[in-house]
Amino acid sequence: GQGYCAIRLPDLTKESLAMEPPRSAEDFLKKPLRCIEWEKMSMELWTGPVSSRSSALSSDAHSQLSRPVRPGEVIDYFISHSWSDDCPEVKFRALESLAADFHKSHGRYPTFWLDHCCIPDGEGGVDQLKMLPIHVMSCRRFLLLLGPTFPHRLWCAWELFAIFAFSSQEQALKRIVLCPLEAENQDKLLADLCHFDVLAARCFDPNHEARLLRIIRALGTDRFNQRIQHMAQQIRQQH
């Protein structure tokens, strides 16, 4: 295969996609998964596209930094973070340290999945919603860049929900790499996530927010909150 994910599409049409009509597996898998190599990362990449700063790169330039996943290749890290945590230097330095450690252990630099580089052109909000579990589960590890706004971003919660929805708790916890953006406040950041409330979480795009909330209401708002809170508690206990 051309780097396509092996997850069966019927697995994605259960409760997580309950409110959206499914497309065929062929439609989903026409385009290969994409990744960005560490060597293509830069500080400028972390100043946009939706942070409070102006992005130094255009959206086309973002896409050109990524490449299709090669046959048999597995992406090393899915990056989950909030663009509202507007600290590009802190994020980049954290990745720089991780990449250096990875290189020492593996003799190569890691590959990453990063939203605005690796989402194919023309993939709208509905497709992003359906493809997210594929993107998450196609990566070896889930890199959680935890900042103060992470518990208030709906997409961040949905990403975290996806890894636990399609893995056992034990497997999911093993895959999560926690990187607090304020190391001195790690416990507080995790405590805030333990008190996650979907009604206090937002998306930048109101259309995405409406779709996500429609699905979450179908799951049950209280149930979704409890799942995220329980996940956060498990991560907190590990750290």
Side-chain angles (χ1 to χ4, degrees):
Q2 298 296 313
Y4 297 116
C5 178
I7 296 174
R8 292 179 299 110
L9 193 64
D11 293 335
L12 306 182
T13 60
K14 297 177 183 177
E15 54 188 21
S16 65
L17 301 179
M19 300 301 293
E20 301 291 352
R23 291 163 57 193
S24 69
E26 290 75 15
D27 284 343
F28 273 104
L29 301 180
K30 277 178 182 176
K31 295 181 181 179
L33 298 170
R34 300 187 68 83
C35 67
I36 179 170
E37 298 176 349
W38 164 247
E39 293 86 347
K40 298 290 187 180
M41 288 279 191
S42 66
M43 188 80 69
E44 290 76 17
L45 184 60
W46 291 91
T47 63
V50 289
S51 69
S52 61
R53 308 183 187 197
S54 296
S55 176
L57 298 171
S58 69
S59 58
D60 285 344
H62 287 148
S63 298
Q64 290 171 11
L65 291 172
S66 67
R67 62 164 175 80
V69 174
R70 301 181 182 112
E73 182 182 19
V74 179
I75 304 169
D76 293 304
Y77 293 97
F78 178 98
I79 301 177
S80 180
H81 74 110
S82 167
W83 284 107
S84 294
D85 289 324
D86 192 12
C87 50
E89 184 172 356
V90 175
K91 291 178 181 178
F92 184 75
R93 296 307 173 205
L95 288 171
E96 193 172 46
S97 177
L98 180 144
D101 289 344
F102 188 97
H103 187 270
K104 287 179 184 177
S105 299
H106 298 84
R108 63 174 178 85
Y109 287 106
T111 53
F112 300 90
W113 188 93
L114 179 62
D115 48 13
H116 68 298
C117 293
C118 300
I119 293 174
D121 292 339
E123 188 173 290
V126 173
D127 283 352
Q128 289 179 40
L129 191 60
K130 293 178 178 180
M131 287 293 291
L132 181 63
I134 291 178
H135 293 313
V136 170
M137 300 309 295
S138 295
C139 301
R140 286 192 176 91
R141 309 296 292 275
F142 183 98
L143 180 59
L144 173 51
L145 299 180
L146 181 60
T149 72
F150 189 99
H152 308 293
R153 306 310 304 173
L154 202 52
W155 269 113
C156 294
W158 191 249
E159 290 167 356
L160 195 56
F161 182 84
I163 189 172
F164 280 86
F166 293 90
S167 303
S168 69
Q169 178 175 293
E170 181 180 2
Q171 290 174 328
L173 289 170
K174 285 180 179 178
R175 292 179 61 203
I176 291 173
V177 177
L178 176 66
C179 181
L181 299 179
E182 298 176 359
E184 69 281 6
N185 292 324
Q186 173 176 313
D187 194 62
K188 182 184 184 303
L189 293 173
L190 285 169
D192 289 345
L193 192 57
C194 287
H195 293 92
F196 173 82
D197 181 359
V198 69
L199 297 180
R202 295 289 180 267
C203 291
F204 287 105
D205 186 328
N207 294 318
H208 291 182
E209 183 173 320
R211 292 188 183 104
L212 277 169
L213 287 175
R214 198 161 70 240
I215 293 172
I216 290 167
R217 290 189 185 107
L219 292 170
T221 301
D222 290 342
R223 180 184 174 197
F224 188 82
N225 281 341
Q226 290 166 5
R227 288 291 299 274
I228 298 296
Q229 292 164 6
H230 179 70
M231 296 168 202
Q233 290 162 5
Q234 296 301 307
I235 296 169
R236 191 181 187 188
Q237 288 174 12
Q238 278 203 336
H239 297 85

